[in-house]
Amino acid sequence: MPIQQIFEGKINNMQIIDKDGNVDELLDPKLPKDLLLKMYIYMVLTRTFDQKCMNLQRQGRVLTYAPSLGQEAAQIGSVATLEDKDWIFPSYREHATYLWRGIEMSQLMTYWIGSELGMKIPEGKNNFLVSIPIASQALHAVGAAWAAKLRGDKVVTIGYFGDGATSEGEFHEAMNFAGVYQAPCVLFCQNNQWAISTARKKQTATTSIAQKALAYGVKGIQVDGNDVLAVYKATKEAVDNARNGGGPTLIEAVTFRRGPHTTADDPTKYRKEDEVKYWEERDPIRRFTVYLKKANYLNDELEKKILDRSVEEVEKAILEAEATKMDNPEDMFNYAFGTMPVYLQEQKNELMEYLRSKKV
Ligand SMILES: Cc1ncc(C[n+]2csc(CCOP(=O)(O)OP(=O)(O)O)c2C)c(N)n1
Ligand SMILES: [Mg+2]
């Protein structure tokens, strides 16, 4: 018997706006002006929020904070493709997903100030809570998508995780499950080159993260994660495909974490300034600004107005967040489950007993 090739894999990379703002006319999805401007406004708003939270943390007014600087296009480009009924499963850096969904900025800030109320997501806003355990978001997204499929709901889910998460068992379990059950989900990896101090090269021997999709019978694509149009186009295709019964997609958005992992670490200890500079030159907001100006959708005056409004909105949100009455300690048990599991009930009782005995 001759040897036969039984599998051939191919993974594409897509970029539409290059680092200087030049557009590939053939690939440009030619989105309506309103949507483009909304995406721009939310990218600027997210960055303004992010810079402020970093400053507030340094002043002791925000607790440990995970910045999103440099990842605005990956987050807004993907979330902008969803319908309200779709579900989002973020990790801890996806501030843009909450803001885009209309969750009050002051509420999001309340979370980073240290209150569980910040993650008491209003009914009808289909954003899951911040989930710190790495790669858990992939399993949550696949599970919820499978549930939607069983119910016959035309709902799509999206799970956000990082390059480091792809070294966790949960990622592989999620991929396998998604492939086998053809779950209507998008597994969205923001490959920001670092998992705290571990470089991307140490996570995997493969050329891309996207190619891992092929082994699980899942579609895979790599996009320039700092190009909001490429992210939008790839995610929209994946979302539409999932909604129409075409199964899951793994998207690798190649981006860069420009800030520290969180305010608790110092990246100058493990990475070089040259690398940061390389990615600053590929800034997602700057290149989108050039694109919008060339299209005559944006000018200097409107650009300034959008930035000024973002600053105002952020300042207002801080005042509101700081004026919010903080929650009670037992609230940390209250919002994660519809029905609290027995072991959590026991822990809650124990805490309350302790607080009573200490008269805290
Ligand atoms: C299961 C689990 N293991 C370890 C950690 C500690 N931890 C927090 S963030 C992180 C790195 C994650 O890197 P990546 O997936 O690339 O996401 P990024 O922070 O870069 O967005 C680790 C190991 C955790 N939160 N959960
Ligand atoms: Mg990472």
Side-chain angles (χ1 to χ4, degrees):
M1 289 286 276
I3 292 174
Q4 291 175 349
Q5 185 174 353
I6 57 159
F7 177 76
E8 189 183 13
K10 188 179 78 171
I11 287 291
N12 292 326
N13 172 287
M14 177 162 60
Q15 181 191 61
I16 300 177
I17 317 178
D18 74 9
K19 75 178 182 46
D20 300 316
N22 303 309
V23 67
D24 183 322
E25 292 290 343
L26 290 177
L27 288 176
D28 186 349
K30 307 228 170 15
L31 300 179
K33 179 182 170 186
D34 286 359
L35 178 59
L36 287 167
L37 278 180
K38 184 174 172 193
M39 285 160 70
Y40 177 78
I41 288 167
Y42 275 85
M43 284 168 72
V44 173
L45 189 62
T46 303
R47 184 167 293 186
T48 313
F49 167 86
D50 193 66
Q51 282 167 346
K52 196 70 195 182
C53 285
M54 288 295 286
N55 294 345
L56 291 175
Q57 195 279 337
R58 300 308 186 210
Q59 295 168 20
R61 290 159 71 190
V62 153
L63 302 179
T64 305
Y65 174 74
S68 58
L69 176 64
Q71 298 182 216
E72 298 87 355
Q75 297 181 10
I76 291 294
S78 52
V79 77
T81 65
L82 298 178
E83 295 180 17
D84 288 349
K85 65 181 178 186
D86 298 332
W87 274 91
I88 298 175
F89 294 86
S91 48
Y92 38 77
R93 226 183 267 295
E94 285 69 48
H95 317 302
T97 66
Y98 294 95
L99 299 176
W100 181 271
R101 272 283 167 96
I103 288 155
E104 293 292 331
M105 187 186 284
S106 54
Q107 179 173 0
L108 184 58
M109 232 160 213
T110 311
Y111 172 76
W112 293 103
I113 287 177
S115 166
E116 295 295 324
L117 291 175
M119 282 295 123
K120 197 179 174 195
I121 305 294
E123 201 66 38
K125 301 275 184 205
N126 292 350
N127 258 56
F128 211 62
L129 317 181
V130 163
S131 179
I132 307 278
I134 301 304
S136 57
Q137 310 79 12
L139 279 174
H140 295 159
V142 174
W146 188 39
K149 184 175 174 177
L150 291 175
R151 285 184 180 147
D153 295 344
K154 282 219 151 197
V155 164
V156 175
T157 70
I158 181 163
Y160 287 93
F161 50 87
D163 42 307
T166 65
S167 300
E168 292 277 353
E170 281 88 337
F171 165 75
H172 298 276
E173 290 163 17
M175 291 290 291
N176 193 49
F177 206 100
V180 170
Y181 291 96
Q182 289 292 289
C185 61
V186 177
L187 295 156
F188 195 93
C189 177
Q190 288 175 87
N191 170 9
N192 64 7
Q193 314 304 325
W194 290 92
I196 313 183
S197 55
T198 304
R200 143 71 180 88
K201 279 202 180 86
K202 293 196 175 160
Q203 298 296 346
T204 177
T206 57
T207 313
S208 72
I209 286 170
Q211 74 199 67
K212 292 175 192 292
L214 303 178
Y216 295 101
V218 170
K219 284 170 280 303
I221 183 167
Q222 186 187 66
V223 293
D224 181 338
N226 285 7
D227 167 2
V228 72
L229 293 188
V231 175
Y232 182 93
K233 192 177 167 88
T235 315
K236 182 80 170 77
E237 268 171 37
V239 165
D240 288 350
N241 188 60
R243 206 182 303 286
N244 296 324
T249 303
L250 171 67
I251 297 178
E252 176 189 1
V254 180
T255 182
F256 189 69
R257 192 199 80 211
R258 299 243 295 269
H261 169 67
T262 68
T263 46
D265 84 332
D266 174 4
T268 62
K269 298 269 187 267
Y270 54 80
R271 71 183 185 191
K272 300 219 163 63
E273 200 39 48
D274 286 358
E275 191 186 355
V276 180
K277 198 166 167 294
Y278 173 90
W279 285 97
E280 272 171 12
E281 286 163 5
R282 283 153 184 78
D283 182 69
I285 295 184
R286 196 180 46 240
R287 72 172 86 169
F288 194 29
T289 306
V290 174
Y291 170 86
L292 291 172
K293 284 187 173 171
K294 275 189 196 158
N296 281 327
Y297 292 161
L298 185 70
N299 55 30
D300 292 352
E301 197 188 330
L302 183 57
E303 185 184 0
K304 184 174 176 316
K305 206 161 136 192
I306 289 170
L307 184 60
D308 289 350
R309 258 202 228 139
S310 298
V311 172
E312 262 171 43
E313 200 172 318
V314 171
E315 293 298 333
K316 192 165 148 271
I318 302 161
L319 296 180
E320 278 170 25
E322 291 190 326
T324 306
K325 189 184 161 301
M326 288 297 142
D327 49 350
N328 300 311
E330 76 257 35
D331 278 346
M332 75 175 107
F333 298 98
N334 288 344
Y335 307 131
F337 293 92
T339 309
M340 198 182 297
V342 173
Y343 71 92
L344 275 188
Q345 189 62 55
E346 285 169 2
Q347 288 176 24
K348 182 177 165 181
N349 294 344
E350 204 177 311
L351 174 72
M352 298 319 289
E353 192 54 44
Y354 172 80
L355 293 175
R356 265 194 299 277
S357 72
K358 294 278 173 203
K359 299 204 169 39
V360 178

